[in-house]
Amino acid sequence: MSSYLFFILLLPLMGFIGLFSFANKANKLAGWIGAIFTLIGLCVSIFVFTHSLHQSEAFEWEWLVLRQKSINLSILLDNQTLIMLLVVHFIALLVQVFSISYLHHEPHLWRYFAYLQLFVFSMLGIVVAGNLLLMYIFWELVGLSSYLLIGFWYQKPRAVWAAKKAFLLNRIGDAGFLIGILLLFFEANSTDFVGLSTGQLPHINEGLMTAIGLFLFCGVMGKSAQFPLSAWLPDAMEGPTPVSALIHAATMVAAGIFLLGRIHFLLTPDALYVITIIGTITMVMGAYRAISQTDIKKMLAYSTVSQLGLMVMGMGVGAKEAAMFHLLTHAFFKAGLFLCAGAVIHFLTPHDENHASGIDPQDMRQMGGLYKYMPTTFRAYTLCAAALAGLPLFSGFLSKDAILIEAFHWGSQQGRGAFLVPMLGLFSAGLTAFYTMKQWKMVFLGEFRGDKHAISQTQEADILMKVPLVILASLSVFIWFSFNPLDAADAWFFELFKTKPSEGSHLVIAVLSVLVAMLGLSMSYFDTLSPSKVGLIPSLSLGMEDIRNWIKSFFQKLKWLREHSHDSDQHLFLIAPLQKIAQWCFWLDQKIFDKIVDWVGYVTVILAHIVGRFDRMVVDGVVNGMAWTAGFVGNRTRGIQNGKTQSYLIAMLVGVLIIIFFVL
């Protein structure tokens, strides 16, 4: 199957080169050309999936030889590769079809779809990479592709700033990732996944192995927006909305989870413990931040941060397959939510003077009542949102609960304090249900808060935008993943990896999860419910008013906390420490190193003067003295050679007398 894998990998690269070569000549057809390339790749991936399921093959070749040490690259085909091949191609295809209509007015469509093809090529390279060296090459290409797509509207300063921020924060994580790769190669003489997992890993000190695992995890922190490197993801929403659906909900940010799945066998218990803590912090902070957002895309972005934290937490507690399962379900319903948000933005964007001008198409406070105008988008969003909120009968409930079951099992093994992790998982699930209901109500229910006359003149998205929404919404239903809507134990995904979720109180955790989700939905509902509507139910009006007042008080306190911690994680844990380190380094450089350099300069100048004088007076003096002596002797003896015979006879006589004198 190696030839098929190379063909799948080269297809998007050919699409990228072709679209860039023809540029404006293929502008109108760029979307269809890109979609056709991706469709072919999807068909070939399905063929490979059906013929290579439950098989594991690795293909290796020599890249270069350094000091008689061979450095190899390899590609790996296993079930994890097969699943991601289908996910990347499928989501990319739907996003490109959606983009054909969403960006039809763009003058540089060829550049947008060329960048998409470059991204698909880079992401597929990560998926098929058989060792960390090859994965790192494509890892950096994914970072480049993300930078290009986030900054696609380069005429907008905010988009350029967001692209730079994403690129630089990812470089911080990637620096640690590269250190981990080099340390592993130095210690094990290999970074091959198959070789290292089948016993070729030599005995390495556990402390060093923990350090290697955490350095590798730095790459995950960057790509999957984990604390404290999560600040770039919400700002990346400055790019086109379909880009958000592709790389910031379904594929690029999932690369970190995919990497954790690949290197899970390398991670020591201490490393996994740190990973669990980082994932838990990210999960709770992402959900907490999403509550206060009014931008439709940024709320989904913080939701993505939270869900990625849940997956990382799952990896940390040993729920590798459950985390990968949530990656799969999350890819569908979150891509659907982003595309629904794109449809709403497209609907409200003023394309002409008669089209809903005067409102911010991303501000949910200016929306409302859109279910009347966008029924298909409303239904699709409702299904995807139900999956995100973790409601029964939807895919998100299955995969989220699979992680929580493993987390509770892990907590029972670690001790009482460890139960804080799954409890925070339940708390985060409640917050997720809260902000999901909040967004659903603000966007689609009630009355439209903008110009109703202007919006009545518009129509919902066309068929090219509706089809991806309907497909992704249908994939948010449980039946595609498990016949049991309340338990993922029989899901076909776990059959691929020959594993089962941990035995435990599945029903108890499922009921707890449902109760928490319903509590979050109820709190969100009553938080924005007017007193007049509460009074429509006489038997409940008295108690509901008290509940509503308590909820209002609770969220006013939360609002105060949010206002006083709006930049906490990025500033407190990343920027502020780096500023302190920079200030300390500046003081050290100015007061210590500069003084040392200055004194070294002074001493060097003094020594140079001493050496110069010694050179002139001693070294040069000896040489010049010898030359003067030779000249002096030469001048005195030169007179003897005067061509006169009598002078020669006298000299000879004197010489004979001197010899006789010395002899006698």
Side-chain angles (χ1 to χ4, degrees):
M1 289 290 169
S2 61
S3 57
Y4 288 104
L5 284 182
F6 280 113
F7 179 73
I8 291 171
L9 187 59
L10 291 177
L11 261 178
L13 180 61
M14 293 165 56
F16 167 73
I17 295 172
L19 288 171
F20 248 96
S21 300
F22 291 101
N24 285 325
K25 296 179 182 178
N27 195 60
K28 296 297 183 182
L29 298 175
W32 293 106
I33 294 172
I36 289 172
F37 272 99
T38 306
L39 178 61
I40 295 172
L42 176 61
C43 293
V44 178
S45 297
I46 294 173
F47 172 80
V48 174
F49 182 89
T50 56
H51 287 76
S52 300
L53 193 60
H54 299 305
Q55 299 179 19
S56 181
E57 300 178 74
F59 312 96
E60 189 175 42
W61 67 95
E62 186 177 81
W63 181 33
L64 56 88
V65 178
L66 185 63
R67 292 186 177 180
Q68 300 180 345
K69 181 180 290 188
S70 179
I71 300 177
N72 299 327
L73 299 179
S74 65
I75 59 176
L76 174 61
L77 178 63
D78 60 3
N79 287 353
Q80 189 171 332
T81 302
L82 294 173
I83 289 293
M84 288 302 296
L85 283 176
L86 295 179
V87 170
V88 172
H89 278 108
F90 187 72
I91 299 295
L93 177 61
L94 294 181
V95 165
Q96 288 179 93
V97 171
F98 185 92
S99 299
I100 293 172
S101 176
Y102 185 83
L103 295 171
H104 68 277
H105 58 283
E106 284 293 329
H108 299 104
L109 275 179
W110 61 271
R111 183 164 55 88
Y112 171 80
F113 285 102
Y115 290 163
L116 281 182
Q117 290 295 306
L118 177 63
F119 169 78
V120 173
F121 165 70
S122 307
M123 190 64 205
L124 292 177
I126 290 177
V127 170
V128 303
N131 61 16
L132 286 169
L133 286 175
L134 184 61
M135 180 177 282
Y136 183 77
I137 294 171
F138 286 104
W139 194 269
E140 294 303 304
L141 276 175
V142 165
L144 173 63
S145 306
S146 174
Y147 168 79
L148 295 173
L149 286 167
I150 296 170
F152 173 71
W153 287 319
Y154 58 84
Q155 67 274 17
K156 298 181 179 179
R158 183 80 180 175
V160 174
W161 171 82
K164 291 178 180 178
K165 182 176 183 179
F167 190 81
L168 292 175
L169 282 180
N170 271 272
R171 298 291 74 71
I172 295 174
D174 293 353
F177 184 32
L178 180 59
I179 293 172
I181 293 173
L182 296 177
L183 282 174
L184 181 63
F185 183 78
F186 179 79
E187 294 294 331
N189 199 30
S190 173
T191 63
D192 186 72
F193 299 127
V194 175
L196 295 175
S197 63
T198 54
Q200 294 183 17
L201 184 65
H203 177 72
I204 302 176
N205 178 272
E206 186 173 354
L208 178 59
M209 202 65 215
T210 299
I212 291 174
L214 292 178
F215 274 122
L216 295 176
F217 178 66
C218 288
V220 179
M221 293 171 63
K223 279 289 184 292
S224 292
Q226 296 299 291
F227 170 85
L229 300 179
S230 57
W232 68 269
L233 186 58
D235 293 314
M237 298 301 109
E238 296 295 332
T241 304
V243 169
S244 303
L246 177 63
I247 64 179
H248 303 129
T251 52
M252 173 192 167
V253 292
I257 313 301
F258 180 82
L259 171 62
L260 274 180
R262 284 290 193 219
I263 65 170
H264 199 269
F265 66 93
L266 292 172
L267 301 173
T268 63
D270 290 339
L272 288 173
Y273 197 78
V274 174
I275 290 170
T276 301
I277 294 173
I278 295 294
T280 304
I281 293 173
T282 306
M283 172 184 64
V284 176
M285 293 186 69
Y288 173 71
R289 295 269 173 99
I291 294 173
S292 60
Q293 299 304 310
T294 57
D295 186 295
I296 188 172
K297 289 172 63 178
K298 280 199 173 183
M299 179 176 282
L300 294 176
Y302 278 111
S303 171
T304 300
V305 172
S306 178
Q307 296 300 304
L308 291 168
L310 175 63
M311 298 177 210
V312 170
M313 184 265 281
M315 286 285 183
V317 300
K320 171 187 169 184
E321 289 77 17
M324 292 296 296
F325 183 37
H326 194 58
L327 184 154
L328 175 65
T329 61
H330 177 265
F332 295 132
F333 66 72
K334 186 54 70 66
L337 287 170
F338 267 108
L339 292 185
C340 286
V344 170
I345 294 169
H346 188 268
F347 180 72
L348 298 176
T349 299
H351 299 295
D352 54 60
E353 65 276 6
N354 297 320
H355 190 120
S357 59
I359 68 170
D360 183 350
Q362 295 184 207
D363 190 345
M364 296 186 296
R365 295 170 296 184
Q366 302 181 38
M367 300 179 189
L370 293 183
Y371 75 95
K372 303 174 185 177
Y373 309 98
M374 310 179 71
T376 303
T377 304
F378 169 67
R379 296 187 187 100
Y381 182 95
T382 301
L383 293 177
C384 295
L388 173 61
L391 298 183
L393 307 181
F394 294 94
S395 60
F397 174 83
L398 293 172
S399 55
K400 178 198 66 178
D401 274 26
I403 295 177
L404 290 178
I405 289 168
E406 295 285 351
F408 275 102
H409 179 71
W410 174 84
S412 65
Q413 294 178 330
Q414 297 294 322
R416 287 180 298 177
F419 271 106
L420 180 62
V421 169
M423 294 305 295
L424 286 174
L426 282 174
F427 175 69
S428 176
L431 293 180
T432 301
F434 179 90
Y435 66 69
T436 303
M437 169 62 82
K438 175 185 174 182
Q439 187 176 62
W440 185 68
K441 288 181 62 180
M442 291 182 71
V443 175
F444 292 103
L445 300 188
E447 295 297 327
F448 183 65
R449 293 177 285 276
D451 186 351
K452 295 182 181 179
H453 175 72
I455 202 172
S456 65
Q457 307 300 315
T458 63
Q459 295 182 348
E460 193 177 9
D462 60 20
I463 191 67
L464 290 178
M465 295 174 67
K466 286 181 180 179
V467 168
L469 299 184
V470 172
I471 293 174
L472 291 169
S474 65
L475 289 172
S476 300
V477 181
F478 78 96
I479 196 65
W480 298 101
F481 304 96
S482 174
F483 290 113
N484 187 344
L486 298 178
D487 190 358
D490 297 325
W492 58 264
F493 185 88
F494 293 104
E495 295 293 333
L496 293 180
F497 299 95
K498 305 298 182 182
T499 59
K500 290 285 185 181
S502 298
E503 296 295 332
S505 304
H506 290 210
L507 183 59
V508 174
I509 296 173
V511 171
L512 274 176
S513 178
V514 172
L515 290 176
V516 167
M518 296 306 296
L519 178 62
L521 294 174
S522 302
M523 292 179 72
S524 180
Y525 182 78
F526 290 119
D527 179 50
T528 54
L529 191 64
S530 65
S532 60
K533 290 186 178 180
V534 174
L536 293 176
I537 312 174
S539 61
L540 298 178
S541 60
L542 184 62
M544 288 301 182
E545 184 64 27
D546 294 335
I547 293 174
R548 184 175 178 274
N549 290 335
W550 179 84
I551 292 173
K552 282 289 186 184
S553 174
F554 174 74
F555 282 101
Q556 283 174 357
K557 294 177 181 178
L558 280 184
K559 183 179 180 182
W560 183 89
L561 288 173
R562 290 194 298 270
E563 289 175 350
H564 288 78
S565 62
H566 61 281
D567 59 350
S568 58
D569 64 339
Q570 181 188 351
H571 187 273
L572 181 62
F573 295 102
L574 184 63
I575 296 177
L578 290 177
Q579 286 178 335
K580 290 293 183 183
I581 293 172
Q583 291 171 358
W584 183 79
C585 290
F586 176 75
W587 179 88
L588 187 67
D589 180 69
Q590 191 176 46
K591 300 297 184 181
I592 305 298
F593 294 122
D594 281 358
K595 296 298 182 183
I596 293 174
V597 171
D598 291 342
W599 279 105
V600 169
Y602 296 148
V603 172
T604 302
V605 170
I606 293 171
L607 290 176
H609 283 295
I610 295 173
V611 170
R613 181 155 298 187
F614 178 82
D615 182 67
R616 289 193 302 273
M617 297 182 66
V618 178
V619 179
D620 288 353
V622 171
V623 174
N624 293 334
M626 293 176 64
W628 180 85
T629 302
F632 177 80
V633 173
N635 289 331
R636 295 297 180 271
T637 57
R638 187 182 300 120
I640 299 174
Q641 302 293 333
N642 54 13
K644 296 180 180 180
T645 304
Q646 55 272 29
S647 297
Y648 297 157
L649 290 174
I650 293 171
M652 185 173 62
L653 178 61
V654 171
V656 170
L657 292 175
I658 291 173
I659 291 171
I660 292 171
F661 174 79
F662 277 102
V663 170
L664 295 179

